DNA sequence: TGAAACATGAGGTCCACG
DNA sequence: CGTGGACCTCATGTTTCA
């Protein structure tokens, strides 16, 4: 063990000496942009006299700053060599070097261990009724095959040049590809007219088909049929993309509003839009409510709006509802008059939410709200680096140097760290996530879910107070309760919001791919003694018109279709597969559209 | 082997400034 | 009106650990 460390030390020493020489030989041009550094340097070491000397070269000044802070000169040289003149990076590197040295077996950092114990390892207290574990969930390992199939289908379609075909021929071709007899398709086109939309044609054929063979439902078989269903669906989607894109080319792109309050929030006395006119196609039933990240790549919200009946998205930052920011866009056809917030109002600042942190909060950390809660948290090692940086700066009169302040504050913002002790920051605990997101305490706890998965599920959830505010208009409309189709349910943000609003949940059909999340929702459903029925599906891609029709027939239709599709190919946090709406997961948006379309058409056919 | 911990950066928006 | 910097983000892939 010790040999390894000593080996590394030797390496360090060698590099340091070389680096030192190199640094001294670096021409001034390398550090030509000195003005910024000079300003910072002046502020930083003003109490020590040296900074006023304008003859000191830039890099030396930078080194001097760090020497004043107590870092060894060799390490400073190495850090500058590796990171250039960026002070933040240099400081981070220095702290990392220091930590690497101190992590040797002799000295175990004692404080870093304090983060764990607050989570009790005793999860056995919860006694869950396992009756709900009906074996309806199947192994979904085949789904990647399905994806591949759809992707290649899409690719081949995109590669094909269908521009020579007329609109009618195109429609006919793809209706045929979707499995409709050419004869029926052509009749539908004749009857509905040349301007008929694709969904209208399908509606017509569905109605005709239902009229003919009311009692015949195709048996639900396994993989092959599902795969071909995905194939057809994708074709359908692609065609719609083309049709819709053609129609709208010169419209204004969607901009994010400032302040991000949508059509109004309860807590700000800011001008709110109190009325809006929905496009006729958009008007329910059913009501629908769609959510995703506001800061998606360019054009994504334009596309989503086009697919959801050209409704203008409502962009809202949850910082107007609670102590954490969450910038999201919502496309919905709900009324926007007479909304009301959930009571009690949640804490709206960090200090209100975490009173104990006030004592340790430095005056120069000016945060009053947390940033967006993500699916993972800052590391213990980072918290340790910050503690050491702060401790090292204690000899400064009142506040650490601006450079250190900036480093610490940047990391605190990035990882949503709280001050929980002297010089001590900590990431949020899981129950704090729950509280900030508006869920009951222990909502995600127990039942076999890991801590990592709890953070992930909570990071992907609705902010309940925000969504509840938008849904509050349903309370007067459905005094006897509602039927909800909840897509991408996650841990049940929509259900919790409706429940907390006091809207009875008669029938909830929940579609959620992750078993841990389905279990969480099922547990909540049982623990809150819901009177209604909770039916769950695991894969939205398997949910077809027959399923929906059966459910609609059995309880009379859905009042609300609600859900937020995966954002992981849209969010800026993703540096690997930020592929936009065509990304592997985020393309499930089109399934949301498909389901809304289907519910809409099935329900309108029933009314006729 | 699975869970936990860790390291990793681009893309967009906003705003001050020249 | 362009530019540069500050700021923010429902994450992913790899390594470490138990």
């Amino acid at each position: 063990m010790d040999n390894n460390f000593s080996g590394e030390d030797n390496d360090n020493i060698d590099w340091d000496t070389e680096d030192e020489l190199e640094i001294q030989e670096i021409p001034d041009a390398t550090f030509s942009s000195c003005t910024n550094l000079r300003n910072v340097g002046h502020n930083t070491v003003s109490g020590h006299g040296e900074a006023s000397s304008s003859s000191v070269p830039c890099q030396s000044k930078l080194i001097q700053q760090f020497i004043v802070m107590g870092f060894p000169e060799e390490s400073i040289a190495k850090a500058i060599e590796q990171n250039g003149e960026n002070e933040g990076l240099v400081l981070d590197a220095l702290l990392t070097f220091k930590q690497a040295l101190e992590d040797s077996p002799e000295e175990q950092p004692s404080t870093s261990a304090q983060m764990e114990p607050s989570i009790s390892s005793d999860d056995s207290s919860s006694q869950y009724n396992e009756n709900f574990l009906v074996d309806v969930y199947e192994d979904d390992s085949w789904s990647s095959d399905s994806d591949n199939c759809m992707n290649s289908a899409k690719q081949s379609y995109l590669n094909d040049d269908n521009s020579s075909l007329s609109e009618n021929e195109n429609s006919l071709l793809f209706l045929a590809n979707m499995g409709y007899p050419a004869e029926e398709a052509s009749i539908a086109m004749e009857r509905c007219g040349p301007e008929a939309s694709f969904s209208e044609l399908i509606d017509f054929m569905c109605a005709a088909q239902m009229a003919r063979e009311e009692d015949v439902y195709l048996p639900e078989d396994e993989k092959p049929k599902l795969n071909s269903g995905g194939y057809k669906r994708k074709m359908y989607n692609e065609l719609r993309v083309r049709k819709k894109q053609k129609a709208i080319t010169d419209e204004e792109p969607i901009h994010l509003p400032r302040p991000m309050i949508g059509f109004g929030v309860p807590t700000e006395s800011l001008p709110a839009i109190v009325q809006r006119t929905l496009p006729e196609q958009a008007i329910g039933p059913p009501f629908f409510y769609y959510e995703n990240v506001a800061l998606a790549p360019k054009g994504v919200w334009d596309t989503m709006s086009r697919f959801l009946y050209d409704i203008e998205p409502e962009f809202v930052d949850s910082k107007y509802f609670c102590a954490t920011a969450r910038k999201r866009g919502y496309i919905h056809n709900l009324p926007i008059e007479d909304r009301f917030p959930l009571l009690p109002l949640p804490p709206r600042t960090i200090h209100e939410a975490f009173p104990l942190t006030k004592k340790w909060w430095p005056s120069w950390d000016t945060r009053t709200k947390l940033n967006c809660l993500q699916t993972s948290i800052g590391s213990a090692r980072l918290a340790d680096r910050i503690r050491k940086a702060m401790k090292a700066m204690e000899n400064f009169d009142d506040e650490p140097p601006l450079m250190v302040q900036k480093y610490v504050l940047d990391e605190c913002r990035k990882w949503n760290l709280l001050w929980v002790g002297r010089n001590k920051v900590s990431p949020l605990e899981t129950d704090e996530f729950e509280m900030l997101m508006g869920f009951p305490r222990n909502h995600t706890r127990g039942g076999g879910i890991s801590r990592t998965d709890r953070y992930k599920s909570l990071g992907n959830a609705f902010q309940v107070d925000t969504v509840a505010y938008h849904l509050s208009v349903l309370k007067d409309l459905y005094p006897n309760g509602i039927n909800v189709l909840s897509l991408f349910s996650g841990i049940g943000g929509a259900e919790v919001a409706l429940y907390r609003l006091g809207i009875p949940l008669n029938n909830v059909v929940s579609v959620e791919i992750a078993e841990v999340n389905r279990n969480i929702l099922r547990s909540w459903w049982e623990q809150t003694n819901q009177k209604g029925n909770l039916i769950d599906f695991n894969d939205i891609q398997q949910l077809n018109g027959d399923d929906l029709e059966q459910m609609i027939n059995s309880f009379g239709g859905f009042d609300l279709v609600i859900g937020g599709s995966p954002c992981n190919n849209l969010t800026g946090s993703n540096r690997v597969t930020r592929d936009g709406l065509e990304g592997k997961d985020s393309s499930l948006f089109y399934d949301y559209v498909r389901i809304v379309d289907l519910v809409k058409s099935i329900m309108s056919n029933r009314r006729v």
Side-chain angles (χ1 to χ4, degrees):
Chain A
M1 289 292 186
D2 285 344
N3 289 340
N4 287 340
F5 282 100
S6 62
E8 277 177 18
D9 283 350
N10 286 339
D11 282 350
N12 281 343
I13 291 166
D14 286 341
W15 290 350
D16 288 349
T17 43
E18 283 172 21
D19 289 348
E20 196 175 1
L21 293 173
E22 276 176 25
I23 291 289
Q24 284 168 356
E25 287 167 11
I26 289 175
D28 277 345
T30 315
F31 294 94
S32 56
S33 59
C34 293
T35 48
N36 205 11
L37 297 178
R38 192 164 286 150
N39 288 338
V40 174
H42 183 76
N43 288 333
T44 304
V45 293
S46 56
H48 296 264
E50 303 100 326
S52 58
S53 163
S54 58
S55 63
V56 181
C58 251
Q59 68 272 37
S60 305
K61 201 171 251 178
L62 190 61
I63 293 172
Q64 270 186 348
Q65 286 172 40
F66 287 110
I67 290 174
V68 168
M69 293 178 195
F71 293 107
E73 200 168 343
E74 303 83 40
S75 304
I76 299 170
K78 181 181 171 186
I80 292 178
E81 206 270 335
Q82 287 180 354
N83 296 282
E85 59 199 84
N86 184 315
E87 301 142 52
L89 293 178
V90 170
L91 179 59
D92 200 22
L94 286 169
L95 292 165
T96 310
F97 295 161
K98 204 175 171 201
Q99 184 153 30
L101 289 174
E102 288 172 5
D103 278 353
S104 55
E106 290 306 311
E107 191 207 345
Q108 280 295 349
S110 54
T111 47
S112 62
Q114 291 176 358
M115 308 218 302
E116 293 303 326
S118 64
I119 289 295
S120 162
S121 59
D122 176 23
D123 276 350
S124 60
S125 56
S126 36
Q127 296 178 343
Y128 289 93
N129 179 353
E130 293 195 36
N131 289 340
F132 61 84
L133 288 174
V134 205
D135 286 332
V136 292
Y137 310 127
E138 298 170 65
D139 181 9
D140 54 4
S141 56
W142 56 268
S143 66
S144 57
D145 291 342
S146 165
D147 275 343
N148 291 340
C149 170
M150 293 201 302
N151 285 339
S152 59
K154 176 182 125 192
Q155 202 54 48
S156 68
Y157 174 63
L158 288 175
N159 291 340
D160 280 348
D161 182 9
N162 290 340
S163 55
S164 60
L165 296 176
S166 72
E167 194 82 338
N168 274 0
E169 286 166 325
N170 254 334
S171 303
L172 203 56
L173 176 62
F174 284 98
L175 287 170
N177 274 336
M178 289 175 72
Y180 293 102
E183 210 175 308
E184 277 182 36
S186 120
I187 291 172
M189 286 165 64
E190 220 177 281
R191 296 284 289 276
C192 297
E195 297 301 312
S197 75
F198 221 70
S199 37
E200 282 171 330
L201 293 175
I202 291 170
D203 289 351
F204 181 90
M205 287 186 292
C206 282
Q209 207 166 6
M210 278 157 52
R212 272 201 313 276
E213 39 190 61
E214 260 179 333
D215 53 343
V216 180
Y217 283 102
L218 289 176
E220 282 306 297
D221 283 329
E222 307 306 323
K223 300 177 190 180
K225 189 184 173 213
L226 292 168
N227 278 345
S228 67
Y231 171 88
K232 288 172 195 166
R233 210 159 48 233
K234 201 73 182 180
M235 301 298 244
Y236 169 41
N237 289 335
E238 287 299 328
L239 190 68
R240 291 191 61 172
V241 170
R242 287 201 168 190
K243 281 171 76 107
K244 296 216 175 189
Q245 273 176 350
K246 207 182 288 178
I248 307 166
T249 46
D250 47 356
E251 279 195 9
E252 281 263 314
I254 291 172
H255 291 293
L256 298 179
R258 261 183 81 85
M260 199 181 277
I261 57 166
F263 302 134
V265 292
T267 51
E268 301 285 314
S269 54
L270 294 163
I273 297 169
V274 289
Q275 276 195 324
R276 64 167 174 170
T277 313
L278 288 172
E280 194 166 334
Q281 280 269 27
I283 296 170
F287 287 120
F288 68 88
Y289 186 88
Y290 173 79
E291 180 256 18
N292 215 318
V293 290
L295 284 80
K298 259 183 184 169
V300 164
W301 275 104
D302 300 83
T303 306
M304 294 195 293
S305 171
R306 276 204 306 275
F307 272 87
L308 291 169
Y309 315 104
D310 289 322
I311 297 176
E312 177 195 353
E314 175 171 19
F315 293 102
V316 183
D317 189 337
S318 293
K319 74 177 180 183
Y320 297 105
F321 289 83
C322 63
T324 180
R326 201 167 184 83
K327 298 180 180 66
R328 295 292 179 270
Y330 306 89
I331 297 180
H332 62 85
N333 60 353
L334 294 164
I336 59 173
E337 301 87 20
D338 302 322
R339 292 166 160 181
F340 59 88
L342 276 184
L343 295 175
L345 292 176
R348 287 185 46 226
T349 64
I350 296 175
H351 288 335
E352 280 173 30
F354 306 104
L356 294 179
T357 64
K358 209 167 178 175
K359 181 177 177 188
W360 309 108
W361 209 272
S363 61
W364 44 268
D365 184 345
T366 52
R367 292 176 296 159
T368 58
K369 305 272 185 185
L370 292 166
N371 276 334
C372 183
L373 303 191
Q374 312 232 54
T375 56
S376 55
I377 57 167
S379 65
R381 197 169 292 178
L382 172 66
D384 198 39
R385 278 205 294 273
I386 290 175
R387 183 181 59 81
K388 284 175 177 152
M390 292 294 295
K391 198 165 172 58
M393 300 308 140
E394 274 183 335
N395 55 343
F396 284 81
D397 291 340
D398 43 1
E399 293 182 347
L402 284 183
M403 192 200 308
V404 177
Q405 287 182 24
K406 182 172 162 22
Y407 164 76
V408 173
L409 203 42
D410 282 351
E411 296 294 339
C412 285
R413 284 209 177 96
K414 184 173 176 184
W415 294 106
N416 272 330
L417 304 175
L418 299 176
W419 294 95
V420 295
R422 183 177 178 79
N423 296 333
K424 207 169 71 170
V425 293
S426 164
L428 293 161
E429 292 292 344
T430 42
D431 58 332
E432 294 166 341
F433 259 54
E434 287 169 344
M435 181 265 290
L436 290 166
M437 297 293 284
F439 288 90
R441 197 187 174 97
N442 291 338
H443 182 74
T444 59
R445 187 180 182 184
I449 187 173
S450 72
R451 252 167 79 81
T452 311
D453 282 345
R454 288 181 71 186
Y455 282 117
K456 189 174 171 191
S457 295
L458 284 160
N460 282 317
F462 284 162
Q463 205 288 322
V464 171
D465 298 273
T466 311
V467 171
Y469 183 64
H470 298 157
L471 299 179
S472 61
V473 296
L474 295 171
K475 187 165 186 181
D476 284 343
L477 294 175
Y478 300 99
N480 299 320
I482 59 174
N483 298 330
V484 183
L485 175 54
S486 169
L487 305 173
F488 313 103
S489 301
I491 56 175
E495 290 83 350
V496 172
L498 291 164
Y499 174 69
R500 288 189 58 194
L501 283 165
I503 301 174
L505 298 166
N506 295 344
N507 294 284
V508 173
V509 176
S510 159
V511 185
E512 168 58 37
I513 193 82
E515 186 177 350
V516 288
N517 289 343
R518 288 197 304 269
N519 292 343
I520 287 168
L521 179 57
R522 177 69 66 179
S523 296
W524 172 84
W525 187 267
E526 289 168 356
Q527 284 168 13
T528 51
N529 298 315
Q530 298 290 329
K531 299 283 181 283
N533 305 307
L534 174 63
I535 303 166
D536 46 29
F537 284 79
N538 68 349
D539 188 353
I540 192 170
Q541 297 186 75
Q542 289 183 53
L543 189 61
N544 58 32
D546 292 346
D547 298 326
L548 291 168
E549 197 165 347
Q550 279 179 11
M551 290 184 288
I552 288 170
N553 285 335
S554 85
F555 48 74
F558 290 108
D559 305 307
L560 174 67
V561 182
I562 185 167
S565 60
C567 71
N568 46 355
N569 304 124
L570 308 179
T571 172
S573 309
N574 188 345
R575 304 178 289 277
V576 184
T577 55
R578 197 185 188 192
D579 304 327
L581 262 189
E582 306 308 317
K584 182 173 172 294
D585 299 309
S586 293
S587 60
L588 290 174
F589 162 75
Y590 295 110
D591 280 279
Y592 180 92
V593 176
R594 178 179 64 87
I595 302 288
V596 172
D597 271 356
L598 277 170
V599 170
K600 217 173 160 65
S601 67
I602 293 171
M603 286 178 60
S604 63
N605 286 334
R606 274 171 56 88
R607 284 204 313 272
V608 172

